[in-house]
Amino acid sequence: MKLLLIIIFELILINLHFLLSRYIGIFELQPIPLLILAIFFLLKAEEEYVLPLLIITGILTDCFFSNKIGPFLLIYLLCALFFKDSRNMMYKDHFMTHVFFAFAISLVGVFSIYLVGGIFTLRAPIIVSLYNALLTPVLYFVFDQIKLERLVRIA
């Protein structure tokens, strides 16, 4: 039941993004709010629920923000595998940790998606990464206000 609530919340976030996308685009580039949500899940969810939450989020991100199924799902799962052992050593309750991860993961992820697509550019990944990093504190505050952490801890 809680996974269904999380999927509904993700779909609402996607709809809100598409509603506001024409107002918040810079050079036809927009932030990826589900990447910020995936980082929130990666840092805040209980260990046994991280992979299912990231699989659901990755599939939804690929369906709405990518031309193919797989790139964002692969990025989220690789991040989960890399940070699985170090999650307990990180300070996860400050939003700057989320900002750093949002910038780093979106920079590597968007760059790799452009590179696989045959386009070598640095402008688009840097703009999207900065945009995600600037949007992270706002979404972190929203997630904190709606008590999303409780939903993913008990999942």
Side-chain angles (χ1 to χ4, degrees):
M1 184 65 185
K2 293 194 180 207
L3 285 176
L4 182 64
L5 289 173
I6 290 173
I7 291 171
I8 291 171
F9 178 73
E10 289 178 355
L11 290 174
I12 290 171
L13 190 62
I14 289 170
N15 286 327
L16 183 66
H17 168 77
F18 285 126
L19 179 70
L20 299 175
S21 65
R22 64 180 170 169
Y23 301 114
I24 60 174
I26 297 176
F27 302 119
E28 300 294 322
L29 300 170
Q30 290 122 10
I32 305 167
L34 285 182
L35 188 132
I36 299 168
L37 187 66
I39 292 168
F40 188 84
F41 290 156
L42 179 67
L43 294 175
K44 296 278 189 166
E46 290 181 5
E47 190 140 345
E48 61 267 8
Y49 295 110
V50 169
L51 286 177
L53 288 172
L54 289 179
I55 287 171
I56 292 168
T57 307
I59 290 172
L60 284 175
T61 307
D62 286 332
C63 287
F64 289 100
F65 295 104
S66 180
N67 295 338
K68 305 171 197 74
I69 299 290
F72 283 103
L73 177 63
L74 181 66
I75 291 167
Y76 295 163
L77 291 180
L78 286 176
C79 291
L81 292 175
F82 287 139
F83 298 119
K84 184 178 181 182
D85 296 329
S86 62
R87 283 184 56 202
N88 296 330
M89 296 184 294
M90 289 185 274
Y91 183 65
K92 301 175 270 198
D93 292 331
H94 198 272
F95 72 93
M96 285 306 291
T97 307
H98 294 255
V99 169
F100 172 73
F101 278 109
F103 181 78
I105 292 171
S106 63
L107 183 67
V108 170
V110 174
F111 179 74
S112 63
I113 288 171
Y114 272 89
L115 196 61
V116 167
I119 303 169
F120 183 77
T121 181
L122 289 176
R123 186 184 80 172
I126 290 173
I127 290 174
V128 172
S129 301
L130 286 174
Y131 219 164
N132 284 337
L134 290 174
L135 188 64
T136 300
V138 174
L139 287 179
Y140 182 83
F141 178 73
V142 169
F143 298 158
D144 192 42
Q145 291 298 313
I146 63 171
K147 308 290 188 230
L148 186 63
E149 182 178 346
R150 286 188 194 166
L151 189 64
V152 297
R153 287 209 185 230
I154 301 170

mmCIF file with all atom_site columns, all heavy atoms in Angstrom, residues 9 12 19 40 48 51-52 67 72 89 107 135 151:
data_model
loop_
_atom_site.group_PDB
_atom_site.id
_atom_site.type_symbol
_atom_site.label_atom_id
_atom_site.label_alt_id
_atom_site.label_comp_id
_atom_site.label_asym_id
_atom_site.label_entity_id
_atom_site.label_seq_id
_atom_site.pdbx_PDB_ins_code
_atom_site.Cartn_x
_atom_site.Cartn_y
_atom_site.Cartn_z
_atom_site.occupancy
_atom_site.B_iso_or_equiv
_atom_site.pdbx_formal_charge
_atom_site.auth_seq_id
_atom_site.auth_comp_id
_atom_site.auth_asym_id
_atom_site.auth_atom_id
_atom_site.pdbx_PDB_model_num
ATOM 1   N N   . PHE A 1 9   ? 2.609  9.599  -5.560  1.00 0.00 ? 9   PHE A N   1
ATOM 2   C CA  . PHE A 1 9   ? 3.358  10.827 -5.291  1.00 0.00 ? 9   PHE A CA  1
ATOM 3   C C   . PHE A 1 9   ? 4.330  11.134 -6.426  1.00 0.00 ? 9   PHE A C   1
ATOM 4   O O   . PHE A 1 9   ? 4.474  12.294 -6.835  1.00 0.00 ? 9   PHE A O   1
ATOM 5   C CB  . PHE A 1 9   ? 4.101  10.714 -3.955  1.00 0.00 ? 9   PHE A CB  1
ATOM 6   C CG  . PHE A 1 9   ? 4.926  11.913 -3.640  1.00 0.00 ? 9   PHE A CG  1
ATOM 7   C CD1 . PHE A 1 9   ? 4.327  13.097 -3.250  1.00 0.00 ? 9   PHE A CD1 1
ATOM 8   C CD2 . PHE A 1 9   ? 6.305  11.873 -3.759  1.00 0.00 ? 9   PHE A CD2 1
ATOM 9   C CE1 . PHE A 1 9   ? 5.081  14.213 -2.978  1.00 0.00 ? 9   PHE A CE1 1
ATOM 10  C CE2 . PHE A 1 9   ? 7.074  12.982 -3.483  1.00 0.00 ? 9   PHE A CE2 1
ATOM 11  C CZ  . PHE A 1 9   ? 6.459  14.156 -3.096  1.00 0.00 ? 9   PHE A CZ  1
ATOM 12  N N   . ILE A 1 12  ? 2.403  12.511 -9.349  1.00 0.00 ? 12  ILE A N   1
ATOM 13  C CA  . ILE A 1 12  ? 2.026  13.909 -9.091  1.00 0.00 ? 12  ILE A CA  1
ATOM 14  C C   . ILE A 1 12  ? 3.220  14.831 -9.317  1.00 0.00 ? 12  ILE A C   1
ATOM 15  O O   . ILE A 1 12  ? 3.089  15.911 -9.902  1.00 0.00 ? 12  ILE A O   1
ATOM 16  C CB  . ILE A 1 12  ? 1.452  14.055 -7.665  1.00 0.00 ? 12  ILE A CB  1
ATOM 17  C CG1 . ILE A 1 12  ? 0.092  13.380 -7.578  1.00 0.00 ? 12  ILE A CG1 1
ATOM 18  C CG2 . ILE A 1 12  ? 1.355  15.525 -7.253  1.00 0.00 ? 12  ILE A CG2 1
ATOM 19  C CD1 . ILE A 1 12  ? -0.467 13.283 -6.179  1.00 0.00 ? 12  ILE A CD1 1
ATOM 20  N N   . LEU A 1 19  ? 3.772  20.510 -15.917 1.00 0.00 ? 19  LEU A N   1
ATOM 21  C CA  . LEU A 1 19  ? 2.938  21.712 -15.857 1.00 0.00 ? 19  LEU A CA  1
ATOM 22  C C   . LEU A 1 19  ? 3.804  22.969 -15.832 1.00 0.00 ? 19  LEU A C   1
ATOM 23  O O   . LEU A 1 19  ? 3.502  23.961 -16.484 1.00 0.00 ? 19  LEU A O   1
ATOM 24  C CB  . LEU A 1 19  ? 2.030  21.657 -14.627 1.00 0.00 ? 19  LEU A CB  1
ATOM 25  C CG  . LEU A 1 19  ? 1.115  22.846 -14.398 1.00 0.00 ? 19  LEU A CG  1
ATOM 26  C CD1 . LEU A 1 19  ? 0.021  22.861 -15.457 1.00 0.00 ? 19  LEU A CD1 1
ATOM 27  C CD2 . LEU A 1 19  ? 0.509  22.794 -13.019 1.00 0.00 ? 19  LEU A CD2 1
ATOM 28  N N   . PHE A 1 40  ? 16.770 11.246 -2.414  1.00 0.00 ? 40  PHE A N   1
ATOM 29  C CA  . PHE A 1 40  ? 16.102 11.224 -1.112  1.00 0.00 ? 40  PHE A CA  1
ATOM 30  C C   . PHE A 1 40  ? 15.858 9.788  -0.659  1.00 0.00 ? 40  PHE A C   1
ATOM 31  O O   . PHE A 1 40  ? 16.113 9.441  0.491   1.00 0.00 ? 40  PHE A O   1
ATOM 32  C CB  . PHE A 1 40  ? 14.782 12.003 -1.202  1.00 0.00 ? 40  PHE A CB  1
ATOM 33  C CG  . PHE A 1 40  ? 14.104 12.208 0.112   1.00 0.00 ? 40  PHE A CG  1
ATOM 34  C CD1 . PHE A 1 40  ? 14.475 13.263 0.924   1.00 0.00 ? 40  PHE A CD1 1
ATOM 35  C CD2 . PHE A 1 40  ? 13.097 11.369 0.535   1.00 0.00 ? 40  PHE A CD2 1
ATOM 36  C CE1 . PHE A 1 40  ? 13.854 13.468 2.139   1.00 0.00 ? 40  PHE A CE1 1
ATOM 37  C CE2 . PHE A 1 40  ? 12.476 11.556 1.743   1.00 0.00 ? 40  PHE A CE2 1
ATOM 38  C CZ  . PHE A 1 40  ? 12.848 12.612 2.552   1.00 0.00 ? 40  PHE A CZ  1
ATOM 39  N N   . GLU A 1 48  ? 16.509 -2.295 3.100   1.00 0.00 ? 48  GLU A N   1
ATOM 40  C CA  . GLU A 1 48  ? 15.870 -3.335 2.281   1.00 0.00 ? 48  GLU A CA  1
ATOM 41  C C   . GLU A 1 48  ? 14.864 -2.763 1.281   1.00 0.00 ? 48  GLU A C   1
ATOM 42  O O   . GLU A 1 48  ? 14.439 -3.462 0.369   1.00 0.00 ? 48  GLU A O   1
ATOM 43  C CB  . GLU A 1 48  ? 15.189 -4.390 3.159   1.00 0.00 ? 48  GLU A CB  1
ATOM 44  C CG  . GLU A 1 48  ? 14.090 -3.853 4.038   1.00 0.00 ? 48  GLU A CG  1
ATOM 45  C CD  . GLU A 1 48  ? 14.572 -3.462 5.431   1.00 0.00 ? 48  GLU A CD  1
ATOM 46  O OE1 . GLU A 1 48  ? 15.774 -3.467 5.692   1.00 0.00 ? 48  GLU A OE1 1
ATOM 47  O OE2 . GLU A 1 48  ? 13.705 -3.142 6.252   1.00 0.00 ? 48  GLU A OE2 1
ATOM 48  N N   . LEU A 1 51  ? 16.383 -0.567 -3.037  1.00 0.00 ? 51  LEU A N   1
ATOM 49  C CA  . LEU A 1 51  ? 16.361 -1.071 -4.414  1.00 0.00 ? 51  LEU A CA  1
ATOM 50  C C   . LEU A 1 51  ? 14.965 -1.079 -5.035  1.00 0.00 ? 51  LEU A C   1
ATOM 51  O O   . LEU A 1 51  ? 14.805 -0.620 -6.172  1.00 0.00 ? 51  LEU A O   1
ATOM 52  C CB  . LEU A 1 51  ? 17.008 -2.452 -4.489  1.00 0.00 ? 51  LEU A CB  1
ATOM 53  C CG  . LEU A 1 51  ? 18.539 -2.453 -4.364  1.00 0.00 ? 51  LEU A CG  1
ATOM 54  C CD1 . LEU A 1 51  ? 19.072 -3.871 -4.383  1.00 0.00 ? 51  LEU A CD1 1
ATOM 55  C CD2 . LEU A 1 51  ? 19.168 -1.624 -5.439  1.00 0.00 ? 51  LEU A CD2 1
ATOM 56  N N   . PRO A 1 52  ? 13.909 -1.566 -4.342  1.00 0.00 ? 52  PRO A N   1
ATOM 57  C CA  . PRO A 1 52  ? 12.585 -1.480 -4.982  1.00 0.00 ? 52  PRO A CA  1
ATOM 58  C C   . PRO A 1 52  ? 12.129 -0.043 -5.255  1.00 0.00 ? 52  PRO A C   1
ATOM 59  O O   . PRO A 1 52  ? 11.553 0.235  -6.313  1.00 0.00 ? 52  PRO A O   1
ATOM 60  C CB  . PRO A 1 52  ? 11.649 -2.156 -3.978  1.00 0.00 ? 52  PRO A CB  1
ATOM 61  C CG  . PRO A 1 52  ? 12.511 -3.002 -3.137  1.00 0.00 ? 52  PRO A CG  1
ATOM 62  C CD  . PRO A 1 52  ? 13.849 -2.353 -3.120  1.00 0.00 ? 52  PRO A CD  1
ATOM 63  N N   . ASN A 1 67  ? 14.175 8.703  -23.854 1.00 0.00 ? 67  ASN A N   1
ATOM 64  C CA  . ASN A 1 67  ? 13.615 8.049  -25.036 1.00 0.00 ? 67  ASN A CA  1
ATOM 65  C C   . ASN A 1 67  ? 13.599 6.537  -24.919 1.00 0.00 ? 67  ASN A C   1
ATOM 66  O O   . ASN A 1 67  ? 12.920 5.872  -25.670 1.00 0.00 ? 67  ASN A O   1
ATOM 67  C CB  . ASN A 1 67  ? 14.430 8.445  -26.282 1.00 0.00 ? 67  ASN A CB  1
ATOM 68  C CG  . ASN A 1 67  ? 14.311 9.907  -26.585 1.00 0.00 ? 67  ASN A CG  1
ATOM 69  O OD1 . ASN A 1 67  ? 13.358 10.553 -26.174 1.00 0.00 ? 67  ASN A OD1 1
ATOM 70  N ND2 . ASN A 1 67  ? 15.281 10.442 -27.286 1.00 0.00 ? 67  ASN A ND2 1
ATOM 71  N N   . PHE A 1 72  ? 18.234 5.908  -16.782 1.00 0.00 ? 72  PHE A N   1
ATOM 72  C CA  . PHE A 1 72  ? 18.104 6.408  -15.417 1.00 0.00 ? 72  PHE A CA  1
ATOM 73  C C   . PHE A 1 72  ? 17.991 5.262  -14.412 1.00 0.00 ? 72  PHE A C   1
ATOM 74  O O   . PHE A 1 72  ? 18.512 5.354  -13.302 1.00 0.00 ? 72  PHE A O   1
ATOM 75  C CB  . PHE A 1 72  ? 16.900 7.348  -15.285 1.00 0.00 ? 72  PHE A CB  1
ATOM 76  C CG  . PHE A 1 72  ? 17.153 8.708  -15.847 1.00 0.00 ? 72  PHE A CG  1
ATOM 77  C CD1 . PHE A 1 72  ? 16.630 9.066  -17.069 1.00 0.00 ? 72  PHE A CD1 1
ATOM 78  C CD2 . PHE A 1 72  ? 17.929 9.619  -15.171 1.00 0.00 ? 72  PHE A CD2 1
ATOM 79  C CE1 . PHE A 1 72  ? 16.858 10.320 -17.602 1.00 0.00 ? 72  PHE A CE1 1
ATOM 80  C CE2 . PHE A 1 72  ? 18.172 10.868 -15.689 1.00 0.00 ? 72  PHE A CE2 1
ATOM 81  C CZ  . PHE A 1 72  ? 17.634 11.228 -16.907 1.00 0.00 ? 72  PHE A CZ  1
ATOM 82  N N   . MET A 1 89  ? 27.720 5.853  7.198   1.00 0.00 ? 89  MET A N   1
ATOM 83  C CA  . MET A 1 89  ? 28.777 6.794  7.574   1.00 0.00 ? 89  MET A CA  1
ATOM 84  C C   . MET A 1 89  ? 28.467 8.225  7.163   1.00 0.00 ? 89  MET A C   1
ATOM 85  O O   . MET A 1 89  ? 29.150 9.140  7.589   1.00 0.00 ? 89  MET A O   1
ATOM 86  C CB  . MET A 1 89  ? 30.100 6.361  6.945   1.00 0.00 ? 89  MET A CB  1
ATOM 87  C CG  . MET A 1 89  ? 30.588 5.036  7.454   1.00 0.00 ? 89  MET A CG  1
ATOM 88  S SD  . MET A 1 89  ? 32.190 4.583  6.801   1.00 0.00 ? 89  MET A SD  1
ATOM 89  C CE  . MET A 1 89  ? 31.816 4.357  5.070   1.00 0.00 ? 89  MET A CE  1
ATOM 90  N N   . LEU A 1 107 ? 25.208 15.177 -12.938 1.00 0.00 ? 107 LEU A N   1
ATOM 91  C CA  . LEU A 1 107 ? 26.284 15.505 -13.871 1.00 0.00 ? 107 LEU A CA  1
ATOM 92  C C   . LEU A 1 107 ? 26.782 14.251 -14.579 1.00 0.00 ? 107 LEU A C   1
ATOM 93  O O   . LEU A 1 107 ? 26.864 14.209 -15.814 1.00 0.00 ? 107 LEU A O   1
ATOM 94  C CB  . LEU A 1 107 ? 27.439 16.186 -13.137 1.00 0.00 ? 107 LEU A CB  1
ATOM 95  C CG  . LEU A 1 107 ? 28.612 16.647 -13.996 1.00 0.00 ? 107 LEU A CG  1
ATOM 96  C CD1 . LEU A 1 107 ? 28.169 17.780 -14.909 1.00 0.00 ? 107 LEU A CD1 1
ATOM 97  C CD2 . LEU A 1 107 ? 29.754 17.090 -13.125 1.00 0.00 ? 107 LEU A CD2 1
ATOM 98  N N   . LEU A 1 135 ? 17.373 23.150 -7.198  1.00 0.00 ? 135 LEU A N   1
ATOM 99  C CA  . LEU A 1 135 ? 16.018 22.720 -6.880  1.00 0.00 ? 135 LEU A CA  1
ATOM 100 C C   . LEU A 1 135 ? 15.974 21.777 -5.673  1.00 0.00 ? 135 LEU A C   1
ATOM 101 O O   . LEU A 1 135 ? 14.935 21.638 -5.034  1.00 0.00 ? 135 LEU A O   1
ATOM 102 C CB  . LEU A 1 135 ? 15.411 22.034 -8.108  1.00 0.00 ? 135 LEU A CB  1
ATOM 103 C CG  . LEU A 1 135 ? 13.938 21.673 -8.060  1.00 0.00 ? 135 LEU A CG  1
ATOM 104 C CD1 . LEU A 1 135 ? 13.098 22.931 -7.966  1.00 0.00 ? 135 LEU A CD1 1
ATOM 105 C CD2 . LEU A 1 135 ? 13.558 20.871 -9.283  1.00 0.00 ? 135 LEU A CD2 1
ATOM 106 N N   . LEU A 1 151 ? 7.232  7.718  5.435   1.00 0.00 ? 151 LEU A N   1
ATOM 107 C CA  . LEU A 1 151 ? 6.660  6.763  4.495   1.00 0.00 ? 151 LEU A CA  1
ATOM 108 C C   . LEU A 1 151 ? 7.718  5.810  3.949   1.00 0.00 ? 151 LEU A C   1
ATOM 109 O O   . LEU A 1 151 ? 7.454  4.624  3.792   1.00 0.00 ? 151 LEU A O   1
ATOM 110 C CB  . LEU A 1 151 ? 5.997  7.524  3.340   1.00 0.00 ? 151 LEU A CB  1
ATOM 111 C CG  . LEU A 1 151 ? 5.169  6.723  2.354   1.00 0.00 ? 151 LEU A CG  1
ATOM 112 C CD1 . LEU A 1 151 ? 3.972  6.105  3.058   1.00 0.00 ? 151 LEU A CD1 1
ATOM 113 C CD2 . LEU A 1 151 ? 4.716  7.594  1.221   1.00 0.00 ? 151 LEU A CD2 1
#
